[in-house]
Amino acid sequence: MTSSTRRIGDVQVSAIGLGGMPMSIEGRPDDESRSIATIHAALDAGITLIDTADAYHLDSSDIGHNETLIAKALNSYGGDTSGVLVATKGGHLRPGGGAWTQDGSPEHLKQAAEDSLKRLGVDAIGLYQFHRPDPKTPYEDSVGAIRDLLDAGKIRMAGISNANPAQIRQANEILGGRLVSVQNQFSPAFRSSEPELELCDELGIAFLPWSPLGGISNASDLGDKHPAFHQLAAELNVSPQKLTLAWMLAKSPVVIPIPGSSRPETIRDSYSAIDLTLTPDQVAALDAS
């Protein structure tokens, strides 16, 4: 396994993935062709992990927009896409107006997975993740539904998102040791998921930081808000965003950042972070900042 690849379960993927959310929620490109071009640019660069969710859309008339978009981009790509892992999520809903709600009921999750299967146009979803715990549904019931989908062959691998250490251990137990990924928020501005990252490192479970650059509205200002990242990026003659992703990769071999993008040039810059090697002292300085 080279430095440009990492593992989710038994699947080898690029060390950096593409997050699809910016292409489908508020502020998404007016022209769909730009999003298609972004996905194609990611594939051209060597990215083989694309992360999406059924909730990446504008309102209830637009459910699954991002899944449909990714399927269209993969189908129209001129090269081989057989090695691309598409990861999607269920259990989070966007009824409209920018609101987010949860439905972790087994009935909803199983139907959501069926709907995602159809939109993605696949026989089985490569990686299906429980998007966010639902206070109205016992966690074991929600993860039990994911286990049932796995046992039925509807999904090939199972993951969870927005989970704490106790939930990671509980989910792995319910899944019979088959939990392959945890997707939590993690960035220079949001580091409270360090315990989850460390647990994933201990258990050999992939850790997928979402919003690794601080989110859609903050990514461009990352260097201004975090002086240590700005200073070292300037010394290395790279963007603060590229440095941030290289820092994450250096923290553990289980980390696979999934920066969101809706422009070809930004995903190319993000992916190039795999070629940036930081010293232990540089990593420690960024950790301490």
Side-chain angles (χ1 to χ4, degrees):
M1 186 163 59
T2 68
S3 60
S4 63
T5 62
R6 301 213 161 170
R7 298 200 79 83
I8 298 178
D10 60 359
V11 177
Q12 184 170 297
V13 299
S14 53
I16 289 174
L18 168 64
M21 188 170 78
M23 303 180 212
S24 294
I25 65 165
E26 294 84 356
R28 71 192 190 190
D30 295 328
D31 185 357
E32 183 183 271
S33 64
R34 193 180 97 185
S35 294
I36 300 287
T38 299
I39 297 168
H40 287 178
L43 297 170
D44 287 341
I47 286 176
T48 59
L49 170 64
I50 303 177
D51 181 80
T52 183
D54 60 3
Y56 295 166
H57 58 78
L58 291 177
D59 54 45
S60 57
S61 67
D62 197 36
I63 293 172
H65 177 275
N66 198 244
E67 293 176 325
T68 302
L69 178 71
I70 288 167
K72 185 173 182 180
L74 290 174
N75 287 333
S76 63
Y77 185 63
D80 180 17
T81 60
S82 61
V84 176
L85 175 63
V86 177
T88 192
K89 299 181 285 292
H92 220 356
L93 297 83
R94 303 194 79 217
W100 292 83
T101 59
Q102 290 89 39
D103 187 347
S105 67
E107 298 78 16
H108 173 78
L109 289 172
K110 290 178 180 181
Q111 185 58 55
E114 293 283 358
D115 294 342
S116 291
L117 271 170
K118 293 185 179 71
R119 285 189 290 265
L120 293 170
V122 294
D123 297 326
I125 296 170
L127 171 60
Y128 195 68
Q129 304 154 100
F130 177 38
H131 202 156
R132 185 177 286 274
D134 175 10
K136 303 182 302 297
T137 305
Y139 196 66
E140 59 268 26
D141 292 353
S142 299
V143 178
I146 305 297
R147 177 200 59 216
D148 293 347
L149 289 165
L150 191 59
D151 290 342
K154 300 286 186 179
I155 65 176
R156 300 193 191 283
M157 295 187 293
I160 55 175
S161 184
N162 301 298
N164 62 37
Q167 289 166 334
I168 294 171
R169 292 187 184 278
Q170 182 182 13
N172 197 35
E173 182 178 347
I174 292 168
L175 290 164
R178 294 177 293 171
L179 180 68
V180 300
S181 65
V182 173
Q183 185 177 145
N184 274 21
Q185 185 176 10
F186 187 72
S187 68
F190 190 95
R191 306 196 197 184
S192 60
S193 284
E194 282 275 8
E196 289 83 5
L197 191 165
E198 291 170 5
L199 178 58
C200 286
D201 182 79
E202 174 191 328
L203 298 176
I205 294 171
F207 182 83
L208 314 180
W210 63 262
S211 289
L213 303 178
I216 297 169
S217 59
N218 298 312
S220 61
D221 300 328
L222 191 155
D224 296 333
K225 295 179 178 178
H226 303 281
F229 286 80
H230 174 80
Q231 181 179 342
L232 183 55
E235 291 174 11
L236 297 174
N237 195 30
V238 298
S239 69
Q241 293 79 12
K242 179 175 176 175
L243 174 67
T244 296
L245 297 173
W247 165 66
M248 291 185 179
L249 291 174
K251 289 178 73 65
S252 166
V254 302
V255 175
I256 307 172
I258 45 171
S261 178
S262 63
R263 293 187 294 134
E265 55 268 31
T266 55
I267 194 57
R268 289 192 196 103
D269 183 66
S270 290
Y271 183 68
S272 69
I274 65 170
D275 297 321
L276 179 59
T277 301
L278 303 180
T279 68
D281 286 347
Q282 289 169 333
V283 174
L286 294 176
D287 281 345
S289 67

